[in-house]
Amino acid sequence: FYNKYTLQGYMARLSYNYSTKYYLDATVRYDGSSRFAPGYRWGTFPSFALAWRMTAENFMGGISFINDLKIRVGWGQLGNQETKPFAYLSTVSLNPTISQGSGLGDPYGSWYTGVSLPDFPTEDLTWETTTTANIGFDALFWKNRFSLTVEYFDKLTEDILQVVDLPSSVGNETSPI
């Protein structure tokens, strides 16, 4: 077998820093993969992150044991296209042989090459998408001698690209995605 596939992507990013207190990062990816059928090839994957450096505020000036304190929040999506190429099409197999009738002295009859479709194509196969959200903070204490990072995140994956095993009695040779 010889497989050929392509991947094309575009990315845009905006970063903004106001007075070393407030930070914004926004990114968007637009990716296309030939592994999916023509109507399902492109996926858009945005993300953003916000941060607030509290130690740059005037009200934090009197607290000497905290050298740096930053609160962060983020949300983003990633795409995964790792699956077999052309899973949205079925291959044609010339391997099966069939017998027809029975001849004199030959209990099985004549043998002929048959044709079968060994796959179940998944025509609407598209990007697996992982969405992650997080909130956290970073702190430096006592003249940068002690650091602390606390993070909470949530991750959800949808449209998982996974092979589904079917019993051989169904008549397929390969398992669908």
Side-chain angles (χ1 to χ4, degrees):
F1 286 98
Y2 173 74
N3 291 318
K4 182 178 179 181
Y5 61 91
T6 58
L7 178 65
Q8 183 174 3
Y10 301 95
M11 186 176 91
R13 181 176 181 182
L14 170 71
S15 293
Y16 182 71
N17 174 354
Y18 178 75
S19 188
T20 67
K21 293 181 190 180
Y22 311 107
Y23 302 88
L24 166 69
D25 278 317
T27 304
V28 64
R29 290 187 59 102
Y30 186 62
D31 294 329
S33 174
S34 65
R35 293 185 182 208
F36 305 122
Y40 300 92
R41 288 192 173 155
W42 290 92
T44 303
F45 309 105
S47 68
F48 76 88
L50 301 169
W52 174 33
R53 176 164 272 126
M54 293 178 63
T55 49
E57 300 288 352
N58 292 334
F59 65 84
M60 293 291 291
I63 305 173
S64 61
F65 71 94
I66 299 177
N67 302 104
D68 193 22
L69 179 61
K70 180 170 51 173
I71 297 174
R72 305 174 276 104
V73 64
W75 179 91
Q77 292 184 322
L78 293 172
N80 176 20
Q81 54 100 34
E82 292 302 320
T83 187
K84 67 180 185 177
F86 306 107
Y88 60 93
L89 299 173
S90 180
T91 56
V92 176
S93 174
L94 299 175
N95 287 335
T97 54
I98 57 172
S99 66
Q100 183 177 16
S102 61
L104 295 173
D106 184 2
Y108 301 107
S110 301
W111 290 93
Y112 297 97
T113 300
V115 174
S116 72
L117 301 175
D119 312 287
F120 289 115
T122 309
E123 296 173 7
D124 58 352
L125 192 66
T126 190
W127 289 87
E128 176 180 299
T129 303
T130 300
T131 303
T132 305
N134 71 301
I135 187 168
F137 72 87
D138 304 306
L140 292 171
F141 301 100
W142 296 288
K143 298 182 182 180
N144 299 337
R145 291 185 187 164
F146 179 72
S147 66
L148 176 67
T149 298
V150 175
E151 186 92 29
Y152 173 80
F153 71 94
D154 183 51
K155 180 178 175 181
L156 175 67
T157 302
E158 298 175 293
D159 299 323
I160 295 175
L161 298 175
Q162 178 179 337
V163 175
V164 178
D165 291 325
L166 297 176
S168 58
S169 61
V170 172
N172 64 315
E173 292 178 19
T174 60
S175 297
I177 309 274

